[in-house]
Amino acid sequence: MTHLPKTCLVTAALFALIGMGWGIVMSASADHSLSPAHGHLNLIGFVALSIAGLYYAVSPDAARSRLGWAHYGLSVLAVIVLVPGIAMAISGQGEALAKAGSVLAILAMALFGWVVLRFGAGRSAG
Ligand code: HEM
């Protein structure tokens, strides 16, 4: 038994709640300047992590693996670094964090691809 699917999905819901709250604030203030950061929070934080959570729910070998947890950790770190990084880049405060976050994000996705290749998809992984 592993908590990885639930952890991914709960984290995704948290990111979505923050992202949607941010969207409401943008709408209410009529200031959409940070919408790319909002979009990446929702798409990488909610959509990608939800898809991963559903994958781990149907692929128990992957869900039990250390690689799966490493993928989860790297994905969360990527969101935490990339989203403020994009907001800082847009508001002229430098691009270093956005660059670091984008490297983390691509590494996380590459690791997810490796997990799928290594453990397969579904119960009879192979
Ligand atoms: C309460 C829910 C949400 C609200 C109020 C909201 C609000 C907004 C607003 C005001 C914009 C800027 C639009 C513009 O300037 O043209 C925007 C952009 C965007 N939103 Fe949301 N949003 C919500 C949820 C979501 C979700 C769930 C996703 C993805 C799963 C998402 C993805 C995006 C994307 C990709 C953009 C465009 C980013 C860009 O290219 O600048 N949003 N949203």
Side-chain angles (χ1 to χ4, degrees), residues 16 19-27 31-40 42-43 46-47:
M20 292 163 93
W22 193 351
I24 291 170
V25 170
M26 281 197 305
S27 298
D31 179 0
H32 299 181
S33 58
L34 296 182
S35 70
H38 152 89
H40 282 77
N42 281 318
L43 293 172
F46 171 59
V47 178

Side-chain angles (χ1 to χ4, degrees), residues 44-103:
I44 301 185
F46 171 59
V47 178
L49 207 52
S50 294
I51 291 170
L54 296 176
Y55 163 74
Y56 289 120
V58 298
S59 307
D61 291 347
R64 274 190 295 267
S65 71
R66 276 197 209 162
L67 274 182
W69 281 102
H71 161 246
Y72 166 78
L74 202 53
S75 300
V76 171
L77 186 64
V79 173
I80 290 172
V81 174
L82 180 63
V83 171
I86 294 173
M88 284 175 67
I90 292 169
S91 44
Q93 297 175 69
E95 296 180 354
L97 211 60
K99 286 177 181 168
S102 60
V103 171

